[in-house]
């Protein structure tokens, strides 16, 4: 079992920045990612926002490219999501997840096969 817990800023104006953190109990799999879930969605329906594989290669949803940066500190067991130039449409519940996914690359905002999920952290961006 792997436990993941998200934390970080939860509110910002449009154009500002926030950083999310995800502490995980132990390393698992070759892929870690951040997802954004809207009200009414189940976790496995959440849109993949950013992912990073065990080689440190990163992938981004087109909607956040150039604005968000995913990174990981394996010594501290923390996954980060730096979010810059935030927009109201970035609002949602952000979840971190880990799993074994070939390539760890999202397709059309989808990244299936994650094994363990955090409970989520709500982020609201005001215009």
């Amino acid at each position: 079992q792997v436990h993941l817990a998200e934390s970080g800023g939860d509110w910002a104006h449009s154009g500002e920045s926030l950083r999310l953190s995800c502490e995980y109990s132990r390393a698992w799999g070759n892929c870690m990612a951040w997802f954004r879930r809207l009200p009414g969605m189940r976790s496995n329906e959440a849109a993949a926002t950013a992912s990073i594989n065990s080689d440190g290669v990163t992938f981004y949803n087109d909607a956040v490219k150039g604005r968000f940066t995913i990174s990981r500190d394996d010594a501290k067991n923390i996954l980060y999501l730096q979010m810059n130039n935030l927009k109201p449409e970035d609002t949602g519940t952000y979840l971190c997840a880990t799993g074994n996914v070939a390539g760890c690359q999202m397709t059309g905002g989808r990244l299936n096969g994650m094994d363990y999920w955090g409970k989520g952290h709500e982020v609201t961006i005001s215009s």
Side-chain angles (χ1 to χ4, degrees):
Q1 187 75 3
V2 179
H3 297 283
L4 302 101
E6 303 92 344
S7 62
D10 55 9
W11 187 89
H13 282 115
S14 182
E16 294 181 338
S17 298
L18 290 174
R19 188 175 81 159
L20 302 182
S21 300
C22 170
E23 294 188 57
Y24 49 96
S25 57
R26 63 182 179 93
W28 172 265
N30 71 318
C31 181
M32 296 200 75
W34 287 96
F35 293 78
R36 183 173 67 95
R37 185 180 67 202
L38 297 177
M41 278 186 179
R42 291 176 296 184
S43 291
N44 61 1
E45 296 173 335
T49 299
S51 60
I52 183 168
N53 67 20
S54 53
D55 293 324
V57 180
T58 58
F59 305 94
Y60 296 94
N61 188 303
D62 286 344
V64 306
K65 275 181 183 176
R67 300 189 298 120
F68 289 14
T69 302
I70 187 172
S71 61
R72 59 193 294 174
D73 185 334
D74 290 332
K76 296 181 178 179
N77 283 5
I78 301 178
L79 178 74
Y80 297 102
L81 184 67
Q82 178 66 43
M83 304 186 292
N84 297 331
N85 190 21
L86 283 159
K87 303 177 180 181
E89 52 263 42
D90 295 322
T91 293
T93 299
Y94 284 77
L95 303 98
C96 59
T98 188
N100 272 309
V101 180
C104 193
Q105 185 170 1
M106 64 191 75
T107 302
R110 301 294 302 172
L111 182 60
N112 297 320
M114 307 305 277
D115 298 312
Y116 298 103
W117 295 78
K119 293 183 178 180
H121 181 78
E122 290 192 21
V123 172
T124 301
I125 309 304
S126 172
S127 59

